[in-house]
Amino acid sequence: MNKYYKAFIKIKNHKILNDNDFWGGPYVKLYDELPKELDIIKELVDKTKKMKPILKVHKGSYDPISFFHCPICDFNDVEDINYCPNCGQSLECVKHEKDNL
């Protein structure tokens, strides 16, 4: 669990005073008040977790060609980069070993 995810969980579970009953009224979780906004933030936090690209073989008219694809959006040719240029997902930097195909 990275620092961004820890911060998200703390915010998600944070309780605030219900505006309808200011003087000692019930507390509600922030997530109950802002679910859509917190889901968007969680999506951004999840992108910081490095994921391994997926190697896929494409059968062409001659020899098969292989590309690393983003595990989130399936964007191809994410070899030797730290993030997907299409969706921004953080990726483990992998090198293509052409001799092993």
Side-chain angles (χ1 to χ4, degrees):
M1 185 181 314
N2 64 33
K3 66 182 179 180
Y4 306 109
Y5 189 74
K6 286 179 185 177
F8 169 77
I9 293 299
K10 188 172 184 177
I11 291 169
K12 181 181 175 185
N13 293 327
H14 183 75
K15 293 181 180 178
I16 58 173
L17 187 62
N18 189 340
D19 288 341
N20 296 331
D21 191 3
F22 181 75
W23 301 105
Y27 284 87
V28 295
K29 284 188 176 181
L30 187 60
Y31 186 75
D32 296 335
E33 296 293 312
L34 304 168
K36 185 177 180 182
E37 291 82 358
L38 284 170
D39 286 344
I40 292 169
I41 292 170
K42 179 160 185 335
E43 182 180 322
L44 181 62
V45 167
D46 288 343
K47 287 185 184 290
T48 65
K49 180 182 177 192
K50 288 195 178 284
M51 297 185 80
K52 189 170 187 170
I54 300 167
L55 183 63
K56 292 185 179 181
V57 177
H58 300 265
K59 295 181 179 173
S61 48
Y62 297 104
D63 292 332
I65 301 171
S66 59
F67 291 103
F68 282 103
H69 288 249
C70 173
I72 300 299
C73 71
D74 204 37
F75 186 80
N76 69 348
D77 205 12
V78 293
E79 175 185 355
D80 202 22
I81 58 175
N82 295 322
Y83 69 94
C84 175
N86 187 52
C87 72
Q89 176 63 47
S90 181
L91 300 170
E92 293 178 14
C93 192
V94 293
K95 297 231 183 234
H96 203 233
E97 296 178 18
K98 295 181 169 96
D99 296 339
N100 293 339
L101 296 178

